[in-house]
Amino acid sequence: MDIHDLGILDVKEAEFYSGTGGFAGLRYKGEDYPHIVLRRLMPLKHPFEYISAACAGDGNDFKEIGILKSISDLPEVQREIVTLELDNRYYSPEVLDVVSVQDKLGYVYMELRLKNKKGVEYKKNCAVKDVSRNIRMLSDTSVIIFDVDGNRYIVEDLKRLSRQSLRKLDAYLF
């Protein structure tokens, strides 16, 4: 079995670019795809490896062009384009503090103090349904929280949270 049987993109023949309207585009093997969608196939364990590149197909369907094995295989300019596209799709600020938690009518409402990738700190309210599925341990020290709007929030290291924040979050950690 060769590499193409798996759908892996040959980076020598791929060129990611910024298209019109801020969309990422891809030129690959003589074809031009001016608006592509990038999806992480292993978003939690390997966020910058195994990235699916797809273009719009019939209706709302997407046709996979191929899989980028690792963004580190790309030239710097293309790596920045792919990273920006993934950051926009997978917005996941870091949780610095759990300000408040309320359990109400099957939802857990949280006020979180967050930091985005640019280092800007802010507070945000979110609602989590089915906490056993949407508040998950990624490792012994990190947690991911999915809210009802599909946003993701990352606690990179539980040890860095205040004692009060840990107490508020502890009941939901499985």
PDB file of all heavy atoms in Angstrom, residues 6-9 37-54 64-71 86 89-90 152:
ATOM      1  N   LEU A   6      -3.912   5.942   1.233  1.00  0.00           N
ATOM      2  CA  LEU A   6      -4.486   6.428   2.491  1.00  0.00           C
ATOM      3  C   LEU A   6      -5.102   7.812   2.356  1.00  0.00           C
ATOM      4  O   LEU A   6      -5.688   8.318   3.295  1.00  0.00           O
ATOM      5  CB  LEU A   6      -3.401   6.456   3.582  1.00  0.00           C
ATOM      6  CG  LEU A   6      -2.771   5.114   3.919  1.00  0.00           C
ATOM      7  CD1 LEU A   6      -1.618   5.307   4.894  1.00  0.00           C
ATOM      8  CD2 LEU A   6      -3.802   4.176   4.506  1.00  0.00           C
ATOM      9  N   GLY A   7      -4.925   8.439   1.187  1.00  0.00           N
ATOM     10  CA  GLY A   7      -5.466   9.774   0.989  1.00  0.00           C
ATOM     11  C   GLY A   7      -4.561  10.872   1.519  1.00  0.00           C
ATOM     12  O   GLY A   7      -5.000  12.007   1.670  1.00  0.00           O
ATOM     13  N   ILE A   8      -3.299  10.555   1.819  1.00  0.00           N
ATOM     14  CA  ILE A   8      -2.361  11.543   2.327  1.00  0.00           C
ATOM     15  C   ILE A   8      -1.953  12.482   1.197  1.00  0.00           C
ATOM     16  O   ILE A   8      -1.592  12.032   0.103  1.00  0.00           O
ATOM     17  CB  ILE A   8      -1.098  10.865   2.928  1.00  0.00           C
ATOM     18  CG1 ILE A   8      -1.467   9.894   4.049  1.00  0.00           C
ATOM     19  CG2 ILE A   8      -0.086  11.895   3.405  1.00  0.00           C
ATOM     20  CD1 ILE A   8      -2.076  10.522   5.273  1.00  0.00           C
ATOM     21  N   LEU A   9      -2.017  13.798   1.465  1.00  0.00           N
ATOM     22  CA  LEU A   9      -1.600  14.785   0.474  1.00  0.00           C
ATOM     23  C   LEU A   9      -0.087  14.749   0.284  1.00  0.00           C
ATOM     24  O   LEU A   9       0.661  14.655   1.259  1.00  0.00           O
ATOM     25  CB  LEU A   9      -1.992  16.196   0.924  1.00  0.00           C
ATOM     26  CG  LEU A   9      -3.472  16.538   0.986  1.00  0.00           C
ATOM     27  CD1 LEU A   9      -3.662  17.917   1.592  1.00  0.00           C
ATOM     28  CD2 LEU A   9      -4.107  16.466  -0.393  1.00  0.00           C
ATOM     29  N   VAL A  37     -12.308  23.473   3.474  1.00  0.00           N
ATOM     30  CA  VAL A  37     -12.607  23.312   4.900  1.00  0.00           C
ATOM     31  C   VAL A  37     -11.555  22.372   5.463  1.00  0.00           C
ATOM     32  O   VAL A  37     -11.323  21.289   4.905  1.00  0.00           O
ATOM     33  CB  VAL A  37     -14.026  22.724   5.102  1.00  0.00           C
ATOM     34  CG1 VAL A  37     -14.274  22.416   6.559  1.00  0.00           C
ATOM     35  CG2 VAL A  37     -15.070  23.674   4.556  1.00  0.00           C
ATOM     36  N   LEU A  38     -10.922  22.799   6.554  1.00  0.00           N
ATOM     37  CA  LEU A  38      -9.916  21.973   7.215  1.00  0.00           C
ATOM     38  C   LEU A  38     -10.488  21.444   8.516  1.00  0.00           C
ATOM     39  O   LEU A  38     -11.088  22.202   9.291  1.00  0.00           O
ATOM     40  CB  LEU A  38      -8.642  22.792   7.483  1.00  0.00           C
ATOM     41  CG  LEU A  38      -7.944  23.341   6.248  1.00  0.00           C
ATOM     42  CD1 LEU A  38      -6.786  24.243   6.642  1.00  0.00           C
ATOM     43  CD2 LEU A  38      -7.451  22.220   5.352  1.00  0.00           C
ATOM     44  N   ARG A  39     -10.320  20.137   8.746  1.00  0.00           N
ATOM     45  CA  ARG A  39     -10.825  19.508   9.970  1.00  0.00           C
ATOM     46  C   ARG A  39      -9.733  18.640  10.578  1.00  0.00           C
ATOM     47  O   ARG A  39      -9.045  17.906   9.865  1.00  0.00           O
ATOM     48  CB  ARG A  39     -12.038  18.632   9.671  1.00  0.00           C
ATOM     49  CG  ARG A  39     -13.245  19.411   9.257  1.00  0.00           C
ATOM     50  CD  ARG A  39     -14.474  18.507   9.238  1.00  0.00           C
ATOM     51  NE  ARG A  39     -15.646  19.262   8.893  1.00  0.00           N
ATOM     52  CZ  ARG A  39     -16.234  19.234   7.704  1.00  0.00           C
ATOM     53  NH1 ARG A  39     -15.763  18.481   6.758  1.00  0.00           N
ATOM     54  NH2 ARG A  39     -17.304  19.955   7.480  1.00  0.00           N
ATOM     55  N   ARG A  40      -9.628  18.728  11.886  1.00  0.00           N
ATOM     56  CA  ARG A  40      -8.670  17.886  12.603  1.00  0.00           C
ATOM     57  C   ARG A  40      -9.271  16.500  12.771  1.00  0.00           C
ATOM     58  O   ARG A  40     -10.366  16.352  13.311  1.00  0.00           O
ATOM     59  CB  ARG A  40      -8.377  18.483  13.977  1.00  0.00           C
ATOM     60  CG  ARG A  40      -7.578  19.748  13.905  1.00  0.00           C
ATOM     61  CD  ARG A  40      -7.373  20.351  15.279  1.00  0.00           C
ATOM     62  NE  ARG A  40      -6.350  21.367  15.227  1.00  0.00           N
ATOM     63  CZ  ARG A  40      -6.423  22.536  15.838  1.00  0.00           C
ATOM     64  NH1 ARG A  40      -7.470  22.836  16.587  1.00  0.00           N
ATOM     65  NH2 ARG A  40      -5.437  23.398  15.730  1.00  0.00           N
ATOM     66  N   LEU A  41      -8.550  15.475  12.326  1.00  0.00           N
ATOM     67  CA  LEU A  41      -9.031  14.105  12.483  1.00  0.00           C
ATOM     68  C   LEU A  41      -8.738  13.577  13.885  1.00  0.00           C
ATOM     69  O   LEU A  41      -9.423  12.686  14.369  1.00  0.00           O
ATOM     70  CB  LEU A  41      -8.413  13.197  11.417  1.00  0.00           C
ATOM     71  CG  LEU A  41      -8.755  13.583   9.980  1.00  0.00           C
ATOM     72  CD1 LEU A  41      -8.072  12.639   8.998  1.00  0.00           C
ATOM     73  CD2 LEU A  41     -10.253  13.599   9.757  1.00  0.00           C
ATOM     74  N   MET A  42      -7.710  14.126  14.535  1.00  0.00           N
ATOM     75  CA  MET A  42      -7.343  13.732  15.904  1.00  0.00           C
ATOM     76  C   MET A  42      -7.170  15.011  16.726  1.00  0.00           C
ATOM     77  O   MET A  42      -6.061  15.349  17.158  1.00  0.00           O
ATOM     78  CB  MET A  42      -6.062  12.902  15.878  1.00  0.00           C
ATOM     79  CG  MET A  42      -6.212  11.640  15.033  1.00  0.00           C
ATOM     80  SD  MET A  42      -4.686  10.728  14.864  1.00  0.00           S
ATOM     81  CE  MET A  42      -4.557   9.988  16.470  1.00  0.00           C
ATOM     82  N   PRO A  43      -8.280  15.760  16.960  1.00  0.00           N
ATOM     83  CA  PRO A  43      -8.168  17.109  17.514  1.00  0.00           C
ATOM     84  C   PRO A  43      -7.581  17.213  18.924  1.00  0.00           C
ATOM     85  O   PRO A  43      -6.974  18.214  19.249  1.00  0.00           O
ATOM     86  CB  PRO A  43      -9.608  17.625  17.498  1.00  0.00           C
ATOM     87  CG  PRO A  43     -10.449  16.410  17.455  1.00  0.00           C
ATOM     88  CD  PRO A  43      -9.649  15.367  16.728  1.00  0.00           C
ATOM     89  N   LEU A  44      -7.741  16.195  19.737  1.00  0.00           N
ATOM     90  CA  LEU A  44      -7.279  16.310  21.113  1.00  0.00           C
ATOM     91  C   LEU A  44      -5.854  15.819  21.304  1.00  0.00           C
ATOM     92  O   LEU A  44      -5.056  16.430  21.996  1.00  0.00           O
ATOM     93  CB  LEU A  44      -8.229  15.566  22.054  1.00  0.00           C
ATOM     94  CG  LEU A  44      -9.689  16.015  21.977  1.00  0.00           C
ATOM     95  CD1 LEU A  44     -10.553  15.177  22.881  1.00  0.00           C
ATOM     96  CD2 LEU A  44      -9.820  17.484  22.301  1.00  0.00           C
ATOM     97  N   LYS A  45      -5.523  14.717  20.678  1.00  0.00           N
ATOM     98  CA  LYS A  45      -4.199  14.114  20.871  1.00  0.00           C
ATOM     99  C   LYS A  45      -3.142  14.700  19.934  1.00  0.00           C
ATOM    100  O   LYS A  45      -1.994  14.853  20.314  1.00  0.00           O
ATOM    101  CB  LYS A  45      -4.268  12.598  20.656  1.00  0.00           C
ATOM    102  CG  LYS A  45      -5.149  11.888  21.644  1.00  0.00           C
ATOM    103  CD  LYS A  45      -4.406  11.602  22.910  1.00  0.00           C
ATOM    104  CE  LYS A  45      -5.281  10.736  23.805  1.00  0.00           C
ATOM    105  NZ  LYS A  45      -4.853  10.735  25.156  1.00  0.00           N
ATOM    106  N   HIS A  46      -3.518  14.986  18.688  1.00  0.00           N
ATOM    107  CA  HIS A  46      -2.564  15.471  17.681  1.00  0.00           C
ATOM    108  C   HIS A  46      -3.211  16.616  16.889  1.00  0.00           C
ATOM    109  O   HIS A  46      -3.581  16.429  15.728  1.00  0.00           O
ATOM    110  CB  HIS A  46      -2.151  14.342  16.736  1.00  0.00           C
ATOM    111  CG  HIS A  46      -1.543  13.177  17.427  1.00  0.00           C
ATOM    112  ND1 HIS A  46      -0.254  13.193  17.907  1.00  0.00           N
ATOM    113  CD2 HIS A  46      -2.045  11.959  17.750  1.00  0.00           C
ATOM    114  CE1 HIS A  46       0.011  12.040  18.490  1.00  0.00           C
ATOM    115  NE2 HIS A  46      -1.056  11.280  18.410  1.00  0.00           N
ATOM    116  N   PRO A  47      -3.322  17.796  17.491  1.00  0.00           N
ATOM    117  CA  PRO A  47      -4.071  18.880  16.835  1.00  0.00           C
ATOM    118  C   PRO A  47      -3.449  19.418  15.552  1.00  0.00           C
ATOM    119  O   PRO A  47      -4.131  20.047  14.754  1.00  0.00           O
ATOM    120  CB  PRO A  47      -4.137  19.963  17.911  1.00  0.00           C
ATOM    121  CG  PRO A  47      -3.001  19.664  18.827  1.00  0.00           C
ATOM    122  CD  PRO A  47      -2.826  18.180  18.794  1.00  0.00           C
ATOM    123  N   PHE A  48      -2.161  19.170  15.303  1.00  0.00           N
ATOM    124  CA  PHE A  48      -1.519  19.681  14.095  1.00  0.00           C
ATOM    125  C   PHE A  48      -1.048  18.565  13.169  1.00  0.00           C
ATOM    126  O   PHE A  48      -0.191  18.765  12.324  1.00  0.00           O
ATOM    127  CB  PHE A  48      -0.368  20.626  14.472  1.00  0.00           C
ATOM    128  CG  PHE A  48      -0.881  21.835  15.200  1.00  0.00           C
ATOM    129  CD1 PHE A  48      -0.689  21.965  16.563  1.00  0.00           C
ATOM    130  CD2 PHE A  48      -1.594  22.813  14.536  1.00  0.00           C
ATOM    131  CE1 PHE A  48      -1.186  23.061  17.243  1.00  0.00           C
ATOM    132  CE2 PHE A  48      -2.102  23.913  15.200  1.00  0.00           C
ATOM    133  CZ  PHE A  48      -1.891  24.034  16.564  1.00  0.00           C
ATOM    134  N   GLU A  49      -1.625  17.404  13.336  1.00  0.00           N
ATOM    135  CA  GLU A  49      -1.349  16.271  12.470  1.00  0.00           C
ATOM    136  C   GLU A  49      -2.684  15.708  11.972  1.00  0.00           C
ATOM    137  O   GLU A  49      -3.700  15.838  12.634  1.00  0.00           O
ATOM    138  CB  GLU A  49      -0.582  15.186  13.227  1.00  0.00           C
ATOM    139  CG  GLU A  49       0.797  15.629  13.688  1.00  0.00           C
ATOM    140  CD  GLU A  49       1.502  14.581  14.528  1.00  0.00           C
ATOM    141  OE1 GLU A  49       0.984  13.469  14.695  1.00  0.00           O
ATOM    142  OE2 GLU A  49       2.594  14.903  15.021  1.00  0.00           O
ATOM    143  N   TYR A  50      -2.651  15.086  10.825  1.00  0.00           N
ATOM    144  CA  TYR A  50      -3.820  14.440  10.221  1.00  0.00           C
ATOM    145  C   TYR A  50      -4.986  15.422  10.100  1.00  0.00           C
ATOM    146  O   TYR A  50      -5.994  15.332  10.778  1.00  0.00           O
ATOM    147  CB  TYR A  50      -4.209  13.170  10.986  1.00  0.00           C
ATOM    148  CG  TYR A  50      -3.057  12.201  11.046  1.00  0.00           C
ATOM    149  CD1 TYR A  50      -2.300  12.057  12.204  1.00  0.00           C
ATOM    150  CD2 TYR A  50      -2.690  11.474   9.924  1.00  0.00           C
ATOM    151  CE1 TYR A  50      -1.205  11.193  12.242  1.00  0.00           C
ATOM    152  CE2 TYR A  50      -1.599  10.618   9.953  1.00  0.00           C
ATOM    153  CZ  TYR A  50      -0.864  10.486  11.116  1.00  0.00           C
ATOM    154  OH  TYR A  50       0.219   9.645  11.145  1.00  0.00           O
ATOM    155  N   ILE A  51      -4.793  16.373   9.187  1.00  0.00           N
ATOM    156  CA  ILE A  51      -5.771  17.424   8.917  1.00  0.00           C
ATOM    157  C   ILE A  51      -6.453  17.106   7.597  1.00  0.00           C
ATOM    158  O   ILE A  51      -5.794  16.989   6.551  1.00  0.00           O
ATOM    159  CB  ILE A  51      -5.083  18.807   8.821  1.00  0.00           C
ATOM    160  CG1 ILE A  51      -4.176  19.088  10.020  1.00  0.00           C
ATOM    161  CG2 ILE A  51      -6.114  19.906   8.599  1.00  0.00           C
ATOM    162  CD1 ILE A  51      -4.854  19.129  11.352  1.00  0.00           C
ATOM    163  N   SER A  52      -7.764  16.959   7.622  1.00  0.00           N
ATOM    164  CA  SER A  52      -8.529  16.694   6.414  1.00  0.00           C
ATOM    165  C   SER A  52      -8.765  18.005   5.673  1.00  0.00           C
ATOM    166  O   SER A  52      -9.184  18.999   6.267  1.00  0.00           O
ATOM    167  CB  SER A  52      -9.869  16.059   6.777  1.00  0.00           C
ATOM    168  OG  SER A  52     -10.722  16.045   5.645  1.00  0.00           O
ATOM    169  N   ALA A  53      -8.503  17.995   4.374  1.00  0.00           N
ATOM    170  CA  ALA A  53      -8.797  19.135   3.505  1.00  0.00           C
ATOM    171  C   ALA A  53      -9.936  18.710   2.585  1.00  0.00           C
ATOM    172  O   ALA A  53      -9.850  17.687   1.905  1.00  0.00           O
ATOM    173  CB  ALA A  53      -7.570  19.531   2.692  1.00  0.00           C
ATOM    174  N   ALA A  54     -11.016  19.492   2.588  1.00  0.00           N
ATOM    175  CA  ALA A  54     -12.188  19.154   1.776  1.00  0.00           C
ATOM    176  C   ALA A  54     -12.696  20.408   1.070  1.00  0.00           C
ATOM    177  O   ALA A  54     -12.460  21.530   1.516  1.00  0.00           O
ATOM    178  CB  ALA A  54     -13.284  18.551   2.650  1.00  0.00           C
ATOM    179  N   GLU A  64     -13.693  15.208   0.237  1.00  0.00           N
ATOM    180  CA  GLU A  64     -12.331  15.251   0.758  1.00  0.00           C
ATOM    181  C   GLU A  64     -11.324  15.263  -0.379  1.00  0.00           C
ATOM    182  O   GLU A  64     -11.389  14.445  -1.298  1.00  0.00           O
ATOM    183  CB  GLU A  64     -12.056  14.076   1.692  1.00  0.00           C
ATOM    184  CG  GLU A  64     -10.686  14.187   2.350  1.00  0.00           C
ATOM    185  CD  GLU A  64     -10.459  13.172   3.441  1.00  0.00           C
ATOM    186  OE1 GLU A  64     -10.176  12.022   3.093  1.00  0.00           O
ATOM    187  OE2 GLU A  64     -10.571  13.556   4.612  1.00  0.00           O
ATOM    188  N   ILE A  65     -10.394  16.205  -0.287  1.00  0.00           N
ATOM    189  CA  ILE A  65      -9.300  16.289  -1.247  1.00  0.00           C
ATOM    190  C   ILE A  65      -8.186  15.359  -0.789  1.00  0.00           C
ATOM    191  O   ILE A  65      -7.584  14.654  -1.578  1.00  0.00           O
ATOM    192  CB  ILE A  65      -8.786  17.740  -1.354  1.00  0.00           C
ATOM    193  CG1 ILE A  65      -9.918  18.677  -1.763  1.00  0.00           C
ATOM    194  CG2 ILE A  65      -7.612  17.825  -2.336  1.00  0.00           C
ATOM    195  CD1 ILE A  65      -9.642  20.137  -1.495  1.00  0.00           C
ATOM    196  N   GLY A  66      -7.926  15.384   0.507  1.00  0.00           N
ATOM    197  CA  GLY A  66      -6.879  14.538   1.067  1.00  0.00           C
ATOM    198  C   GLY A  66      -6.579  14.923   2.500  1.00  0.00           C
ATOM    199  O   GLY A  66      -7.207  15.812   3.075  1.00  0.00           O
ATOM    200  N   ILE A  67      -5.607  14.236   3.072  1.00  0.00           N
ATOM    201  CA  ILE A  67      -5.246  14.437   4.472  1.00  0.00           C
ATOM    202  C   ILE A  67      -3.809  14.938   4.539  1.00  0.00           C
ATOM    203  O   ILE A  67      -2.901  14.330   3.969  1.00  0.00           O
ATOM    204  CB  ILE A  67      -5.381  13.123   5.273  1.00  0.00           C
ATOM    205  CG1 ILE A  67      -6.836  12.658   5.245  1.00  0.00           C
ATOM    206  CG2 ILE A  67      -4.880  13.298   6.705  1.00  0.00           C
ATOM    207  CD1 ILE A  67      -7.033  11.237   5.737  1.00  0.00           C
ATOM    208  N   LEU A  68      -3.636  16.060   5.226  1.00  0.00           N
ATOM    209  CA  LEU A  68      -2.308  16.596   5.478  1.00  0.00           C
ATOM    210  C   LEU A  68      -1.757  15.886   6.704  1.00  0.00           C
ATOM    211  O   LEU A  68      -2.349  15.960   7.781  1.00  0.00           O
ATOM    212  CB  LEU A  68      -2.401  18.107   5.721  1.00  0.00           C
ATOM    213  CG  LEU A  68      -1.130  18.838   6.096  1.00  0.00           C
ATOM    214  CD1 LEU A  68      -0.084  18.729   4.990  1.00  0.00           C
ATOM    215  CD2 LEU A  68      -1.447  20.295   6.400  1.00  0.00           C
ATOM    216  N   LYS A  69      -0.656  15.175   6.529  1.00  0.00           N
ATOM    217  CA  LYS A  69      -0.110  14.371   7.631  1.00  0.00           C
ATOM    218  C   LYS A  69       0.344  15.243   8.795  1.00  0.00           C
ATOM    219  O   LYS A  69       0.075  14.931   9.951  1.00  0.00           O
ATOM    220  CB  LYS A  69       1.027  13.492   7.134  1.00  0.00           C
ATOM    221  CG  LYS A  69       1.493  12.494   8.163  1.00  0.00           C
ATOM    222  CD  LYS A  69       2.488  11.526   7.581  1.00  0.00           C
ATOM    223  CE  LYS A  69       2.923  10.556   8.667  1.00  0.00           C
ATOM    224  NZ  LYS A  69       3.970   9.680   8.223  1.00  0.00           N
ATOM    225  N   SER A  70       1.014  16.347   8.511  1.00  0.00           N
ATOM    226  CA  SER A  70       1.477  17.238   9.572  1.00  0.00           C
ATOM    227  C   SER A  70       1.685  18.631   8.998  1.00  0.00           C
ATOM    228  O   SER A  70       2.295  18.767   7.931  1.00  0.00           O
ATOM    229  CB  SER A  70       2.786  16.742  10.183  1.00  0.00           C
ATOM    230  OG  SER A  70       3.287  17.674  11.120  1.00  0.00           O
ATOM    231  N   ILE A  71       1.219  19.659   9.706  1.00  0.00           N
ATOM    232  CA  ILE A  71       1.438  21.007   9.191  1.00  0.00           C
ATOM    233  C   ILE A  71       2.918  21.380   9.235  1.00  0.00           C
ATOM    234  O   ILE A  71       3.336  22.271   8.522  1.00  0.00           O
ATOM    235  CB  ILE A  71       0.580  22.068   9.913  1.00  0.00           C
ATOM    236  CG1 ILE A  71       1.012  22.274  11.348  1.00  0.00           C
ATOM    237  CG2 ILE A  71      -0.893  21.756   9.816  1.00  0.00           C
ATOM    238  CD1 ILE A  71       0.433  23.534  11.958  1.00  0.00           C
ATOM    239  N   LEU A  86      -7.434  26.622  11.192  1.00  0.00           N
ATOM    240  CA  LEU A  86      -7.763  25.686  12.275  1.00  0.00           C
ATOM    241  C   LEU A  86      -8.115  26.429  13.566  1.00  0.00           C
ATOM    242  O   LEU A  86      -9.043  26.044  14.281  1.00  0.00           O
ATOM    243  CB  LEU A  86      -6.598  24.722  12.521  1.00  0.00           C
ATOM    244  CG  LEU A  86      -6.347  23.707  11.415  1.00  0.00           C
ATOM    245  CD1 LEU A  86      -5.037  22.972  11.669  1.00  0.00           C
ATOM    246  CD2 LEU A  86      -7.501  22.730  11.278  1.00  0.00           C
ATOM    247  N   ARG A  89     -11.646  27.635  13.262  1.00  0.00           N
ATOM    248  CA  ARG A  89     -12.626  26.546  13.353  1.00  0.00           C
ATOM    249  C   ARG A  89     -12.692  25.953  14.754  1.00  0.00           C
ATOM    250  O   ARG A  89     -13.759  25.604  15.240  1.00  0.00           O
ATOM    251  CB  ARG A  89     -12.285  25.438  12.347  1.00  0.00           C
ATOM    252  CG  ARG A  89     -13.190  24.206  12.486  1.00  0.00           C
ATOM    253  CD  ARG A  89     -12.922  23.208  11.399  1.00  0.00           C
ATOM    254  NE  ARG A  89     -13.593  23.530  10.177  1.00  0.00           N
ATOM    255  CZ  ARG A  89     -14.908  23.355   9.964  1.00  0.00           C
ATOM    256  NH1 ARG A  89     -15.670  22.880  10.904  1.00  0.00           N
ATOM    257  NH2 ARG A  89     -15.439  23.656   8.819  1.00  0.00           N
ATOM    258  N   TYR A  90     -11.544  25.818  15.383  1.00  0.00           N
ATOM    259  CA  TYR A  90     -11.458  25.164  16.689  1.00  0.00           C
ATOM    260  C   TYR A  90     -11.093  26.166  17.774  1.00  0.00           C
ATOM    261  O   TYR A  90     -10.118  25.984  18.485  1.00  0.00           O
ATOM    262  CB  TYR A  90     -10.418  24.032  16.655  1.00  0.00           C
ATOM    263  CG  TYR A  90     -10.815  22.908  15.743  1.00  0.00           C
ATOM    264  CD1 TYR A  90     -10.356  22.861  14.439  1.00  0.00           C
ATOM    265  CD2 TYR A  90     -11.667  21.897  16.180  1.00  0.00           C
ATOM    266  CE1 TYR A  90     -10.724  21.832  13.591  1.00  0.00           C
ATOM    267  CE2 TYR A  90     -12.042  20.868  15.343  1.00  0.00           C
ATOM    268  CZ  TYR A  90     -11.567  20.845  14.049  1.00  0.00           C
ATOM    269  OH  TYR A  90     -11.942  19.836  13.212  1.00  0.00           O
ATOM    270  N   ARG A 152     -15.367  25.159  22.721  1.00  0.00           N
ATOM    271  CA  ARG A 152     -14.505  24.323  23.558  1.00  0.00           C
ATOM    272  C   ARG A 152     -13.685  25.232  24.456  1.00  0.00           C
ATOM    273  O   ARG A 152     -13.187  26.268  24.010  1.00  0.00           O
ATOM    274  CB  ARG A 152     -13.520  23.527  22.692  1.00  0.00           C
ATOM    275  CG  ARG A 152     -14.154  22.617  21.695  1.00  0.00           C
ATOM    276  CD  ARG A 152     -13.113  22.255  20.622  1.00  0.00           C
ATOM    277  NE  ARG A 152     -13.632  21.355  19.633  1.00  0.00           N
ATOM    278  CZ  ARG A 152     -14.290  21.731  18.548  1.00  0.00           C
ATOM    279  NH1 ARG A 152     -14.502  22.991  18.329  1.00  0.00           N
ATOM    280  NH2 ARG A 152     -14.717  20.840  17.692  1.00  0.00           N
TER     281      ARG A 152
END
